[in-house]
Amino acid sequence: MGQPQTAELMEKIVSLCKRRGFIFQSSEIYGGLNGFWDYGPLGAELKRNIKDSWWRSMTLLRDDVVGLEASIIMHPKIWEASGHTSTFSDLMVDCLLTKKRFRADQVEPQSGMAYFYLGANDGNSGKESKDPFSVLLPPGKPPESARKIATQFYQMRGIENAALLGERAEAVKASIRYNPENGSLLTEPRPFNLMLKTYVGPVESEDNKSYLRPETAQAIFAQFKNVLDVSRQKVPFGICQIGKAFRNEINPRNFTFRSREFEQMELEFFIRPDEAVEAIYGSVAKPAGAGHPGEPQPNWGWQLWHQYWVEERLRFYEHIGLPRNSLVEYWQQAEELAHYARATVDLLYKFPFSKRDEKGELLGEELEGIAARSDFDLSQHQRFSGRSMTVFDEELKAAWPKLSDPKKIELAEGYFASRLKYLTKTGEPSEKAQKQAREDAEALAKGYYIPHVIEPSAGVDRLALALICNAYAEDEAPDEKGKLESRVVMRFHPRIAPMKVAIFPLLKNKPELVKKAKEVRDLLRAQMTVFYDEAGAIGRRYRRQDEAGTPFGITIDFDTLGEKGPELKDTVTLRERDTMKQERVPISELAARLAEKIR
Ligand code: GAP
């Protein structure tokens, strides 16, 4: 059976999400709130599984990463230090007629005939507007349409019986200056800060203004020293966090993909600056080729650590069921990089709504970014808070005196140059920056430095949506009488599926079957999510679980009770969602069999 394409597919997915309780519109009974979503019973389990898998892979299965759970509202200085107050903005444009707001980079280029007006006046009232305005019409549309829109524009400015002044027409090509929905001129692009503001305490004044965090990462930097002091970790090590983030996105879109409230899973992995690695190990190991570089080694520099985390993250996505060919590894070009970033790789998932290349292949949309952010963030917090973010590295202190003099000079000068670059960018006067950078280089020789960082930063909601899109399939399955009927099946990997197993007594009016089924339910419940369902024909119950993405179904029938012979007593039918194959399994083996598949 052919899979539906793009828009139709997204419609089906959105409708299934509501119908089966994965995702609902927030505040739906009041008409919804744009950019906010709620997760229903299955969605809540799916998200929980995503976060548990990430947490497990990041901390529980590693010795070198510890967790943090910080507050959502933090000291406003944090956002000054991080740059969010001054630069976390999108360029936006407003429709001059409807006031609708667009992200400037998302306005589709349009061609046609533009009609320009110098203003309008009202012969009756004598009122006049000299505001210029223009309207873009697609080819073939009569000028009256432009005049109608322009008249509305001047009426909104109080010119009741607007007579348009100085009409002039000109052909334009691929212009992004007009609202694609009505042809009205847009405002010039203006930066719009995406942080959601609030006030802390009873007084709503500038002094009490605060922000809902736009990312979880900054709390990790702000708590870096506290965590280091208590966790018995040494650089290289990481701190990770899962939590809500808020951005007042101009155009929330593509279902949950771009929301105003979402969750992030972020790791800040702190490493030695390359100069320190070279001083200790004689050289810095560099990537030998593409692919996973293997177990971390002490002589890795930032490039190998970065490559390592890109590959680790790809493995994670594959582990929870996103095939490698559904993901794209996009290396940001030099001109796209933030000024402090040395490299950033975006991991994209080929969502059905992604743009396509000229061959029709989906290009993908960002699931996660993995950035090598140098020592920028900790340096910023050191500067803004006045608290030292340097660490003392015993091995570096011991290694430095053993270096040759030319090597000492080379490494100290390299470190001096990178600190000077950072300090100059922050606007420090040249003399002060030189002095500070020199002190930093001298401190390096004594074993002190500000760690650099590699940051894998992922979105829980985007991943949930990717997993839902990836799982959605339509095929055919036999009904009660063996006749093929179409079915929708969510092929979640068992590790991530909201419900792991469904338990069905064949008939609900046979107390022995129900009793046995409930025993099996209670047996498995301790180890996995179980859905118990006794209502309706067994085929219907299977179909419901196929749509919920439950990978296994267990039916308790008369054989289970030993009615067809003692050899089948206490065995059940185990049905596999994707193949629909059924096999007889002793109840005593169920827990181990299933646990192996969901781990
Ligand atoms: N600390 C780095 C940082 O926040 P980002 O690329 O802005 O980087 C990281 O965000 C991830 O957070 C994205 O890859 C995406 O998965 C998720 N994310 C960002 N904005 C989002 C939004 N408006 N809605 C849903 N997820 C979002």
Side-chain angles (χ1 to χ4, degrees), residues 17 20-24 38-52 263 460-461 464 468 496-499 529:
C17 280
R20 293 318 318 257
F22 282 96
I23 303 174
F24 305 126
D38 295 340
Y39 288 80
L42 290 178
E45 293 295 340
L46 178 65
K47 270 188 92 172
R48 188 170 294 275
N49 290 345
I50 290 172
K51 290 186 278 186
D52 286 350
E263 269 184 294
V460 183
D461 308 80
I468 288 172
I496 213 78
M499 290 292 150
T529 45

Side-chain angles (χ1 to χ4, degrees), residues 35 84 88 214-218 221 245-249 252-253 256-266 268 317 332 340 344 346-347 366-371 373 377 455-463:
H84 284 83
F88 189 55
E215 61 170 30
T216 59
Q218 292 306 320
F221 297 122
F246 303 81
R247 296 183 187 178
N248 201 2
E249 297 284 357
R253 60 189 185 137
T256 57
F257 180 82
R258 190 178 300 287
S259 308
R260 289 179 166 142
E261 175 177 338
F262 54 96
E263 269 184 294
Q264 288 187 313
M265 306 182 284
E266 298 200 290
E268 303 302 330
Y317 288 120
Q332 287 190 10
Y340 48 78
T344 298
D346 291 334
L347 298 183
E366 182 185 325
L367 265 190
E368 165 159 1
I370 301 131
R373 296 173 66 96
D377 303 274
E455 178 194 72
S457 168
V460 183
D461 308 80
R462 283 197 189 169
L463 180 50

Side-chain angles (χ1 to χ4, degrees), residues 347-411:
L347 298 183
L348 318 179
Y349 172 75
K350 295 178 186 171
F351 286 99
F353 49 77
S354 309
K355 291 211 171 80
R356 289 173 187 269
D357 65 12
E358 57 286 353
K359 290 194 204 118
E361 291 290 320
L362 288 169
L363 291 168
E365 297 280 346
E366 182 185 325
L367 265 190
E368 165 159 1
I370 301 131
R373 296 173 66 96
S374 69
D375 55 5
F376 174 78
D377 303 274
L378 287 179
S379 300
Q380 284 289 95
H381 287 296
Q382 175 168 291
R383 208 159 65 83
F384 277 73
S385 68
R387 299 278 281 273
S388 166
M389 292 291 164
T390 55
V391 297
F392 173 61
D393 190 324
E394 197 83 56
E395 287 176 81
L396 174 60
K397 185 178 179 225
W400 195 271
K402 297 179 198 149
L403 297 174
S404 67
D405 285 342
K407 193 49 124 187
K408 283 181 190 163
I409 293 171
E410 180 198 321
L411 295 179

Side-chain angles (χ1 to χ4, degrees), residues 224-519:
F224 168 70
K225 269 306 188 73
N226 277 337
V227 176
L228 183 66
D229 286 349
V230 299
S231 61
R232 299 179 59 80
Q233 292 284 349
K234 282 195 310 191
V235 175
F237 83 103
I239 306 175
C240 70
Q241 175 166 221
I242 299 177
K244 289 265 184 183
F246 303 81
R247 296 183 187 178
N248 201 2
E249 297 284 357
I250 296 167
N251 288 333
R253 60 189 185 137
N254 289 331
F255 198 18
T256 57
F257 180 82
R258 190 178 300 287
S259 308
R260 289 179 166 142
E261 175 177 338
F262 54 96
E263 269 184 294
Q264 288 187 313
M265 306 182 284
E266 298 200 290
L267 166 69
E268 303 302 330
F269 196 81
F270 301 98
I271 56 173
R272 289 172 164 138
D274 278 8
E275 291 84 357
V277 175
E278 191 170 344
I280 300 167
Y281 298 102
S283 64
V284 177
K286 293 271 162 59
H292 199 292
E295 279 302 295
Q297 299 300 318
N299 62 347
W300 280 7
W302 72 266
Q303 283 173 300
L304 266 167
W305 274 115
H306 185 237
Q307 179 175 352
Y308 168 81
W309 278 113
V310 171
E311 293 297 326
E312 282 288 295
R313 299 302 303 137
L314 282 167
R315 283 185 180 182
F316 169 79
Y317 288 120
E318 285 183 89
H319 183 73
I320 58 170
L322 291 183
R324 187 65 186 81
N325 64 7
S326 70
L327 299 165
V328 178
E329 196 181 311
Y330 175 75
W331 285 74
Q332 287 190 10
Q333 304 296 304
E335 63 276 12
E336 295 172 275
L337 289 174
H339 65 83
Y340 48 78
R342 292 180 157 173
T344 298
V345 171
D346 291 334
L347 298 183
L348 318 179
Y349 172 75
K350 295 178 186 171
F351 286 99
F353 49 77
S354 309
K355 291 211 171 80
R356 289 173 187 269
D357 65 12
E358 57 286 353
K359 290 194 204 118
E361 291 290 320
L362 288 169
L363 291 168
E365 297 280 346
E366 182 185 325
L367 265 190
E368 165 159 1
I370 301 131
R373 296 173 66 96
S374 69
D375 55 5
F376 174 78
D377 303 274
L378 287 179
S379 300
Q380 284 289 95
H381 287 296
Q382 175 168 291
R383 208 159 65 83
F384 277 73
S385 68
R387 299 278 281 273
S388 166
M389 292 291 164
T390 55
V391 297
F392 173 61
D393 190 324
E394 197 83 56
E395 287 176 81
L396 174 60
K397 185 178 179 225
W400 195 271
K402 297 179 198 149
L403 297 174
S404 67
D405 285 342
K407 193 49 124 187
K408 283 181 190 163
I409 293 171
E410 180 198 321
L411 295 179
E413 285 310 306
Y415 194 67
F416 167 81
S418 71
R419 293 301 298 158
L420 184 63
K421 190 169 161 208
Y422 159 72
L423 291 160
T424 310
K425 278 256 189 250
T426 65
E428 285 291 355
S430 165
E431 208 174 307
K432 210 170 153 206
Q434 296 263 351
K435 184 165 171 284
Q436 181 61 56
R438 189 56 66 204
E439 281 171 21
D440 292 346
E442 282 162 15
L444 183 79
K446 294 180 188 135
Y448 293 93
Y449 53 78
I450 295 181
H452 285 227
V453 75
I454 308 291
E455 178 194 72
S457 168
V460 183
D461 308 80
R462 283 197 189 169
L463 180 50
L465 185 58
L467 289 164
I468 288 172
C469 292
N470 187 66
Y472 185 93
E474 293 175 3
D475 66 7
E476 289 182 325
D479 68 7
E480 241 83 308
K481 295 180 187 117
K483 191 170 148 261
L484 281 184
E485 59 176 15
S486 60
R487 73 165 180 166
V488 169
V489 51
M490 296 296 281
R491 298 190 198 278
F492 290 118
H493 191 289
R495 287 192 187 109
I496 213 78
M499 290 292 150
K500 306 301 181 197
V501 61
I503 316 274
F504 312 116
L506 188 63
L507 299 171
K508 76 168 175 184
N509 53 5
K510 293 282 173 213
E512 317 87 281
L513 289 178
V514 169
K515 181 167 175 281
K516 199 67 177 173
K518 288 187 172 167
E519 274 172 32

